[in-house]
Amino acid sequence: MSVATVSEGLECFGGQGYIEDTGLPSMLRDCQVLPIWEGTSNVMSLDVLRAIMKTQGEAIKAFSTRIHSIAASTAVTNAEELNKLGQTLTQVNDQLMGLLAKNPQKLGAGARDLAWSLANVYIGALLVEHAGK
């Protein structure tokens, strides 16, 4: 949309629109490259969202099952702190899954936050799992 708008504006100026002093050619170049500049984190977020939608939520269920199994494995240890971390991890995961169940239509708006939250929960789970060994 922005490319078409700036192109139209550039054409309105005629030959003057193509002169660098007007700033319009720079705007046109910026508009053309804008879709490419999403960045890796945004692309990753959209890929996570695509995977969730494609599997109709099964990917999230598998993720949740893995988190619960890691948290449950900490219960066999005698370390009280580790057990608390496992319980906290389970609570955070359950809250995240609850939010996803309540508002699946709003996933696109929060795709980046969702991807980062999933990553942080999994990082926490791996740390708890490693500490339990």
Side-chain angles (χ1 to χ4, degrees):
M1 177 95 177
S2 62
V3 174
T5 304
V6 174
S7 293
E8 187 70 30
L10 197 124
E11 289 174 14
C12 288
F13 281 91
Q16 287 290 332
Y18 292 93
I19 296 175
E20 288 292 331
D21 293 344
T22 63
L24 289 173
S26 170
M27 288 175 71
L28 181 62
R29 287 191 301 273
D30 288 346
C31 289
Q32 289 171 336
V33 80
L34 188 62
I36 300 169
W37 285 354
E38 283 188 11
T40 54
S41 61
N42 198 42
V43 171
M44 174 201 62
S45 302
L46 294 174
D47 195 38
V48 167
L49 187 60
R50 181 199 53 78
I52 292 170
M53 299 291 201
K54 186 176 180 179
T55 63
Q56 298 177 354
E58 290 299 316
I60 289 291
K61 289 178 188 172
F63 176 84
S64 185
T65 301
R66 175 74 174 126
I67 299 302
H68 282 285
S69 71
I70 290 172
S73 71
T74 64
V76 264
T77 66
N78 292 327
E80 188 176 325
E81 293 295 321
L82 198 54
N83 290 339
K84 286 181 186 177
L85 285 174
Q87 291 169 0
T88 302
L89 187 60
T90 301
Q91 290 169 355
V92 169
N93 182 64
D94 290 345
Q95 288 173 357
L96 184 59
M97 297 307 125
L99 288 172
L100 287 175
K102 284 182 189 174
N103 299 313
Q105 69 278 9
K106 294 184 179 179
L107 284 177
R112 189 165 191 264
D113 291 335
L114 172 64
W116 284 112
S117 296
L118 291 172
N120 285 329
V121 167
Y122 197 64
I123 289 167
L126 292 176
L127 288 170
V128 167
E129 181 181 48
H130 184 70
K133 291 182 179 182

